[in-house]
Amino acid sequence: MTEFVQTLILGLLVGGVYALLASGLTLIFGVMNVINIAHGAFLILAAFITYSIWRAIGLDPLAGILITTPVMFVFGWVVYNLTLRRIRTGPAAATVLLTFGLALVVEGLMGIIWGNTAHAVTAPYFNESFHIGSLFLPKAQVYGGVLALVVLAVLWIVLTQSWLGRAIRAAAVNPQGAALVGVNVSAVSAATFAVGVASAGAGGSIASVLYTFLPGSHYVWISRLLGIIVLGGMGSLPGALIGALTLGIAETMTVTYISPSWATAVPYALVFVVLLVRPYGILGTRLREDVVT
Amino acid sequence: MLSAPAAAWSSWTPPEWVSSRRLRYGLIGAAALFIAAYPLLSDDRYYQNMIILSLVFAIGATGLNIITGYGGYVSLGQGAFIGLGGYTAAILSTKVGGNPFVWVPVAGVVAGLFAAALGVIAMRARGHTFVILTIVFLFLLQIVAINWRELTNGTAGLTMPLPRWSPDIANWPFYYALLGLLVVSIAMSWWIRRTKFGMGLVSIREDEDKAETVGINTPVYKILGFVASTVFVGMAGAVYGYYLSFVDPLGMFNILLSVQIILSVLLGGRGTLWGPVLGAFIVEPLNEFANNSLGGGNARLLVFGGLMALVVLFMPRGIVPAISEFLERRRTRGRAGLVGERLGAPIELKEREVPTAPAAVSGQTLLEVKNVAKRFGGLRAVDSCGFAVPEGSITALIGPNGSGKTTLFNLIDGTMPLDSGEVWFDGRRIDRQRPWNRAHAGVGRTFQITRLFKEMTVLENVVAPIREFRLRQLNADAVSGPEAERAEELLEFVGMLKYRDVPASALSYGQQKLVELAQVLMLDPKLILLDEPAGGINPTLIERMGDMIRELNSRGKTFLIVEHNMPFVLGLCDPVRVLGRGKLMAQGTPEEVQRDPRVLDAYLGDDFAVEPQVVEA
């Protein structure tokens, strides 16, 4: 029983980190109808930046999000304006291929800068655990998971309370209508992309403490994150949270009760099973495509 | 100022033979001959190896082109089918023994079965689910190959039996097996593009909703297309495995295989027959160059990633279409564009005998809408609406803007699901059926804003609809033969035959309406729903449209017409159904309806202008 509770809590903490990382992906999809395949590469880039800062000045990696978030925001804004902006209204297949190309370029650049070896950021509390009753909870997992949920909450508040958030949601629901009431949809798209990439920045810093990473890790991450947003229902932020927590728990349960080596496979299998029953994901409904009147 | 050579270049007009078919096939033939003869001419293993790899990627790319180029669904997991084929051959030949001539086809079947299973899961949804699942699928297979050690020997991989033939011809069997597979792949791709099945795939790429309304069972098309994309790739993967005589998870399920295949399709020209092959023979040498001269690894990523981004941004259609467009532009420079010239000609309206007596109205009900409702949020677009369309009639559906006419059409043809109520057609309840089933039952529909498949020619547009879902129909030749003849007859009927090879996007709005009518007639429907057939077209054409409707009606077609042009609709239709605020407001003969005070009020009175719309939360 203790083992089960511990596994469940760990799963929720892992799921919190996944949720933060998936939120940016689902936000960009919801507003721009773009699947950002480079999202995984961006988060690994943030992890490497965190690593370099930590090595250089010894900054706590979790405090590193104060740097990676704005840096990745600017990076996202620049990437959007240099590339995606040109084909924003083009066919969806084009944006998938473009961001896939970007992912490969970022992977190659990271390989050149940091090398293709596994890196890890070891914070001072790396090997410590909280003991609550008979539960052992690694401090890094607890800090990381809680911080991810806090950042996610901030993102949620920004989206629901600020003018930018309302503009983003308006542009997502009805771009023409948003443009009519004075929302610059193109600028909002740039901001959305930047916010999405910034959240990958924050998530990347957190992930750098919890996982070892190398440039090629981004494939595992992007397929996991895509699995999450398909599972939850594409474009839905609550869906991403549900999908992430489901996947986090499924992974930790697999590690505990089946075998660590299968841990990455079972969640993928879960995605297939869920889609067999619900083709549009847990919270997803078929998007109402505007039937021409 | 241009320098002299540049000026000469910019004024260069290619002679006729440059863009002729003979040149194109000559080049392709020469390249094929060279590749076929290469192992006989040279013993250079390096280049033989490079061609062998190019062949593997060309087969992968030709396959991928079917689902991505024709069908419009991008797959990032195409490389997984090479891996699947390789592993199938490796596992069977090491565990069971036996002969490559058996295991290579088996590998193709295995790849096809996996594609069918993945298609069943991913293709029922629209849009991005598919591309995402293809990535997930690739990594899932890799994880399985790593972890299922009893079967795959894990990361250590499987070593396959070495060939027993003479070392003098060491590479030949692989080389020619792959060349043969490529030829078969290209033949299949060529054939698919000519069939009704291929037309259906392209129409899905162009407008999936519209495709459903012309009878195309989109999930089945997409799944079949995906299977067709993978079978020969699985076989090529098996040959590739035998060639390497070793398979391991990181090599066989490497995403860079997928990258190289996608890049080949994209660079060469997706949707073209030869583009993917050309692309593969460009990308593989580039890959070798990046590996050997640029330091491999990261340089390869930069080259592939950068090239992919650049192609998407600056040459989205690829090399083959870019070249043919360039030649076409050069050839037609200084003259009115070929298309413009032909389109300028007035439509010849053939004098036709217009039957004076309308078809006998049988009195039976063909379509009945019972108590149907549809809400959009708080707005009740259609609300407990009911009426009937008698068989053999030309029934009008009129009403003020926003009264729910088009929404009703969407509910009848299945473009939108209804909230409550029933729709009966020809004695069957159809409101839970998918759009293509309704089309097969005999419901055809045109759209208010025409929705032709823009990148398809007029003939292809008309030949794409499917009357009934049968494999024989799918495999029917669409470019020539009975289907094409029938399409030409219909184009002749609407007066658009001379535009048969013009892309639909080049037609005027009125012309598009005529082609869309011919397209719907291809379904041979019992009931035709026309959404504003006279909207936005010139008076001559309106008259012609009326004549055609009467003629079709005299041949037994029933019509339900939404129209705002009152003289047109009241002169043509009987009976008339009037909608107001989503309800049936009045009905009767044109005379009765014109005298009805409620109708006059709705159209002319202040009822709708002043009274605020009650919107319920």
Side-chain angles (χ1 to χ4, degrees):
Chain A
M1 189 59 205
T2 311
E3 187 182 54
F4 180 78
V5 173
Q6 177 160 323
T7 309
L8 191 67
I9 294 175
L10 278 180
L12 288 172
L13 291 171
V14 168
V17 179
Y18 289 176
L20 175 59
L21 289 165
S23 65
L25 194 59
T26 206
L27 180 69
I28 291 170
F29 173 76
V31 176
M32 303 165 69
N33 196 29
V34 166
I35 303 280
N36 179 24
I37 305 285
H39 208 73
F42 292 164
L43 89 88
I44 298 295
L45 178 61
F48 271 116
I49 293 172
T50 311
Y51 172 85
S52 287
I53 296 170
W54 169 72
R55 287 301 292 264
I57 59 171
L59 182 70
D60 184 287
L62 292 180
I65 70 167
L66 295 173
I67 298 172
T68 50
T69 310
V71 165
M72 292 306 285
F73 181 91
V74 173
F75 178 74
W77 191 84
V78 170
V79 165
Y80 175 86
N81 279 295
L82 285 181
T83 60
L84 270 168
R85 192 165 64 88
R86 299 166 149 275
I87 56 166
R88 188 172 65 86
T89 53
T95 55
V96 167
L97 295 169
L98 175 64
T99 56
F100 191 34
L102 290 176
L104 296 175
V105 170
V106 172
E107 184 192 348
L109 289 176
M110 290 191 297
I112 289 168
I113 298 172
W114 285 284
N116 292 306
T117 51
H119 288 61
V121 178
T122 45
Y125 41 80
F126 191 69
N127 284 325
E128 297 170 21
S129 292
F130 288 112
H131 300 259
I132 304 162
S134 51
L135 298 176
F136 281 84
L137 298 172
K139 283 188 178 176
Q141 291 281 2
V142 175
Y143 291 148
V146 170
L147 183 60
L149 290 170
V150 169
V151 176
L152 197 58
V154 171
L155 181 66
W156 180 255
I157 290 168
V158 168
L159 282 177
T160 50
Q161 303 299 322
S162 73
W163 183 88
L164 176 66
R166 282 195 295 274
I168 286 175
R169 284 182 299 140
V173 176
N174 184 344
Q176 288 93 348
L180 277 177
V181 295
V183 175
N184 180 341
V185 175
S186 176
V188 166
S189 293
T192 308
F193 193 77
V195 168
V197 176
S199 74
S205 288
I206 297 172
S208 74
V209 190
L210 304 179
Y211 305 91
T212 59
F213 51 93
L214 62 160
S217 307
H218 76 96
Y219 297 116
V220 178
W221 277 101
I222 191 61
S223 48
R224 179 186 283 144
L225 297 179
L226 289 172
I228 287 169
I229 67 170
V230 171
L231 196 60
M234 299 193 57
S236 154
L237 218 47
L241 184 62
I242 291 175
L245 296 179
T246 311
L247 221 64
I249 292 168
E251 270 190 30
T252 50
M253 290 285 170
T254 315
V255 171
T256 309
Y257 294 106
I258 301 175
S259 121
S261 57
W262 283 106
T264 34
V266 168
Y268 294 158
L270 184 71
V271 171
F272 284 106
V273 172
V274 169
L275 289 187
L276 203 55
V277 185
R278 286 187 62 86
Y280 288 89
I282 296 172
L283 287 193
T285 47
R286 204 180 128 178
L287 301 172
R288 201 197 113 210
E289 280 146 86
D290 278 324
V291 179
V292 179
T293 50
Chain B
M1 283 298 286
L2 293 169
S3 65
W9 167 245
S10 69
S11 66
W12 178 69
T13 302
E16 200 59 37
W17 58 266
V18 170
S19 50
S20 69
R21 287 178 145 220
R22 200 184 296 171
L23 175 80
R24 186 151 49 105
Y25 289 122
L27 283 176
I28 290 167
L33 208 62
F34 174 75
I35 290 168
Y38 189 80
L40 313 175
L41 302 175
S42 163
D43 268 344
D44 191 324
R45 290 291 159 87
Y46 176 75
Y47 286 107
Q48 281 186 10
N49 177 58
M50 193 195 278
I51 296 178
I52 284 177
L53 293 178
S54 301
L55 288 169
V56 171
F57 289 115
I59 295 164
T62 303
L64 181 65
N65 189 44
I66 292 169
I67 190 68
T68 300
Y70 300 160
Y73 275 81
V74 174
S75 163
L76 299 183
Q78 183 75 349
F81 294 95
I82 293 181
L84 260 179
Y87 260 97
T88 305
I91 290 167
L92 289 171
S93 63
T94 51
K95 311 265 165 188
V96 185
N99 189 316
F101 286 101
V102 181
W103 299 142
V104 170
V106 167
V109 172
V110 169
L113 288 176
F114 270 86
L118 182 58
V120 166
I121 296 170
M123 284 305 201
R124 287 178 302 156
R126 292 281 184 82
H128 292 297
T129 306
F130 177 71
V131 63
I132 291 176
L133 284 195
T134 56
I135 306 181
V136 173
F137 174 70
L138 174 64
F139 285 108
L140 185 59
L141 285 185
Q142 192 179 53
I143 294 168
V144 170
I146 290 173
N147 285 317
W148 195 353
R149 292 203 189 80
E150 303 78 36
L151 192 68
T152 64
N153 201 24
T155 43
L158 288 166
T159 306
M160 296 169 66
L162 283 169
R164 272 166 288 171
W165 52 74
S166 149
D168 293 342
I169 56 159
N171 281 341
W172 290 20
F174 307 115
Y175 194 103
Y176 288 109
L178 289 169
L179 192 59
L181 281 174
L182 178 61
V183 169
V184 180
S185 300
I186 293 172
M188 179 182 70
S189 178
W190 174 81
W191 176 243
I192 285 180
R193 187 63 182 82
R194 284 177 66 90
T195 58
K196 301 267 283 184
F197 173 55
M199 296 295 159
L201 279 179
V202 178
S203 64
I204 287 171
R205 177 187 79 196
E206 296 291 301
D207 185 343
E208 195 164 343
D209 270 318
K210 161 86 186 190
E212 292 185 353
T213 70
V214 293
I216 290 166
N217 183 338
T218 52
V220 171
Y221 273 64
K222 291 188 286 183
I223 293 167
L224 287 178
F226 190 40
V227 171
S229 289
T230 56
V231 172
F232 293 118
V233 181
M235 293 172 72
V239 177
Y240 180 55
Y242 278 111
Y243 171 64
L244 296 176
S245 75
F246 173 71
V247 295
D248 74 323
L250 299 178
M252 277 287 163
F253 295 111
N254 191 333
I255 194 164
L256 288 182
L257 295 181
S258 289
V259 171
Q260 215 170 318
I261 294 171
I262 291 169
L263 201 50
S264 303
V265 174
L266 210 57
L267 186 67
R270 68 199 143 88
T272 65
L273 184 62
W274 295 102
V277 180
L278 177 68
F281 277 87
I282 294 174
V283 174
E284 173 54 27
L286 204 62
N287 176 35
E288 297 283 330
F289 174 73
N291 264 343
N292 299 333
S293 309
L294 300 178
N298 298 319
R300 209 167 140 215
L301 291 169
L302 291 179
V303 168
F304 283 169
L307 194 58
M308 189 177 299
L310 290 176
V311 171
V312 170
L313 289 174
F314 299 108
M315 203 172 58
R317 302 188 56 195
I319 292 175
V320 168
I323 291 177
S324 34
E325 268 167 34
F326 171 78
L327 291 175
E328 180 72 17
R329 255 204 324 277
R330 279 295 161 92
R331 215 149 41 80
T332 55
R333 186 183 30 197
R335 297 181 251 154
L338 189 61
V339 166
E341 226 175 325
R342 280 155 77 183
L343 293 191
I347 298 179
E348 274 173 39
L349 297 181
K350 283 208 172 152
E351 285 303 320
R352 283 180 178 277
E353 243 178 87
V354 178
T356 43
V361 176
S362 67
Q364 290 195 335
T365 297
L366 183 61
L367 175 80
E368 186 164 18
V369 176
K370 289 181 187 167
N371 214 8
V372 159
K374 177 74 187 176
R375 305 166 65 118
F376 297 118
L379 174 73
R380 291 185 182 174
V382 174
D383 188 12
S384 57
C385 178
F387 63 85
V389 175
E391 188 160 15
S393 69
I394 305 178
T395 302
L397 184 63
I398 62 171
N401 284 322
S403 58
K405 302 181 297 293
T406 296
T407 302
L408 249 174
F409 267 26
N410 289 336
L411 301 180
I412 294 170
D413 84 337
T415 314
M416 283 178 185
L418 43 67
D419 294 340
S420 62
E422 297 175 5
V423 179
W424 288 75
F425 178 76
D426 207 14
R428 278 192 289 167
R429 189 173 169 187
I430 59 165
D431 52 77
R432 297 281 169 238
Q433 289 187 356
R434 306 300 303 266
W436 54 85
N437 292 125
R438 303 188 201 198
H440 299 163
V443 180
R445 183 250 172 107
T446 68
F447 288 83
Q448 185 178 350
I449 312 289
T450 53
R451 286 171 77 172
L452 292 177
F453 305 119
K454 293 209 163 54
E455 285 193 28
M456 295 164 76
T457 67
V458 166
L459 181 75
E460 288 176 339
N461 263 282
V462 177
V463 86
I466 285 273
R467 284 183 295 281
E468 53 178 336
F469 186 78
R470 296 228 314 257
L471 283 179
R472 264 189 45 202
Q473 271 254 322
L474 293 191
N475 196 32
D477 189 342
V479 181
S480 60
E483 290 288 327
E485 278 164 26
R486 185 174 151 73
E488 285 176 349
E489 266 170 40
L490 292 170
L491 281 172
E492 166 101 76
F493 172 73
V494 299
M496 290 295 293
L497 184 56
K498 58 191 294 197
Y499 300 88
R500 55 165 275 174
D501 296 322
V502 174
S505 55
L507 299 179
S508 78
Y509 183 60
Q511 291 169 328
Q512 290 186 29
K513 292 224 147 180
L514 293 170
V515 174
E516 202 173 40
L517 179 60
Q519 188 180 45
V520 168
L521 289 175
M522 192 72 184
L523 283 172
D524 201 11
K526 297 191 181 88
L527 171 70
I528 302 175
L529 309 172
L530 296 180
D531 202 343
E532 301 206 10
I537 60 177
N538 70 51
T540 327
L541 205 50
I542 291 179
E543 205 173 300
R544 168 81 179 131
M545 188 65 88
D547 290 347
M548 286 190 299
I549 292 171
R550 279 194 199 93
E551 182 167 345
L552 289 167
N553 179 243
S554 74
R555 295 188 202 168
K557 303 278 182 223
T558 306
F559 282 87
L560 179 62
I561 300 177
V562 163
E563 186 51 70
H564 282 297
N565 182 334
M566 283 305 137
F568 173 79
V569 77
L570 295 178
L572 184 68
C573 303
D574 187 13
V576 176
R577 316 286 184 221
V578 189
L579 277 190
R581 290 180 181 176
K583 285 186 163 68
L584 186 73
M585 188 165 64
Q587 58 179 333
T589 65
E591 294 74 29
E592 287 166 0
V593 166
Q594 283 180 79
R595 285 194 304 269
D596 193 310
R598 287 167 301 178
V599 177
L600 291 176
D601 199 35
Y603 269 102
L604 307 170
D606 55 4
D607 187 51
F608 277 79
V610 177
E611 191 181 304
Q613 188 85 17
V614 182
V615 177
E616 292 168 30

